[in-house]
Amino acid sequence: QAQLAVSGGGSVQAGGSLRLSCAASGYTSSHKWIGWFRQVPGKEREGVAVVNLPLGGATFSDSVRGRFTVSQNKVNHTMYLQMNSLQPEDTAMYYCAASTRTTYFRWTDEGAYTDWSRGTQVTVSS
């Protein structure tokens, strides 16, 4: 069974940057997508970005497009979420998740992901 471990959270001031890492271990060959999600207490989990592992293409939510980027290291099965120009509204617990879907799906649908990391807290102060 595959496992995902996310790291890199922390506290920054507005305008700062952080890079989150999502390391996959175990049976990872079935993973086709890695999604990044975040959640604020009392609110629904929000999809931030998704990347297609074989092709590398990515999609971002409107709230982070132009500020966040994704990359991957296929050798060590690690995905990265680079977060620039962070704002207080980016404060949340961040998660990565893996999907094995090979046909179209709504990437923000949490049910499409089979493996989830624990969260890492990102706090942005004004």
Side-chain angles (χ1 to χ4, degrees):
Q1 183 178 354
Q3 293 184 332
L4 300 177
V6 68
S7 60
S11 298
V12 296
Q13 292 191 328
S17 299
L18 283 173
R19 188 177 79 159
L20 304 184
S21 299
C22 174
S25 61
Y27 185 65
T28 63
S29 61
S30 63
H31 293 166
K32 299 298 185 288
W33 305 83
I34 290 291
W36 290 93
F37 292 79
R38 65 186 182 187
Q39 189 170 27
V40 175
K43 293 189 176 181
E44 291 187 356
R45 197 173 297 183
E46 172 193 14
V48 173
V50 67
V51 59
N52 179 272
L53 295 178
L55 300 178
T59 299
F60 298 89
S61 66
D62 290 344
S63 60
V64 306
R65 187 177 299 116
R67 300 187 297 122
F68 290 13
T69 60
V70 294
S71 60
Q72 61 174 311
N73 184 323
K74 294 185 177 181
V75 174
N76 62 15
H77 303 293
T78 301
M79 303 296 302
Y80 302 97
L81 179 68
Q82 178 67 43
M83 306 184 295
N84 299 325
S85 301
L86 284 163
Q87 299 301 316
E89 52 266 34
D90 295 316
T91 295
M93 189 73 76
Y94 283 72
Y95 305 83
C96 63
S99 174
T100 61
R101 295 286 184 95
T102 57
T103 57
Y104 174 80
F105 69 101
R106 187 163 58 93
W107 70 271
T108 56
D109 180 4
E110 296 178 44
Y113 299 85
T114 55
D115 300 300
W116 286 82
S117 70
R118 293 184 178 182
T120 186
Q121 179 67 37
V122 171
T123 303
V124 185
S125 58
S126 58

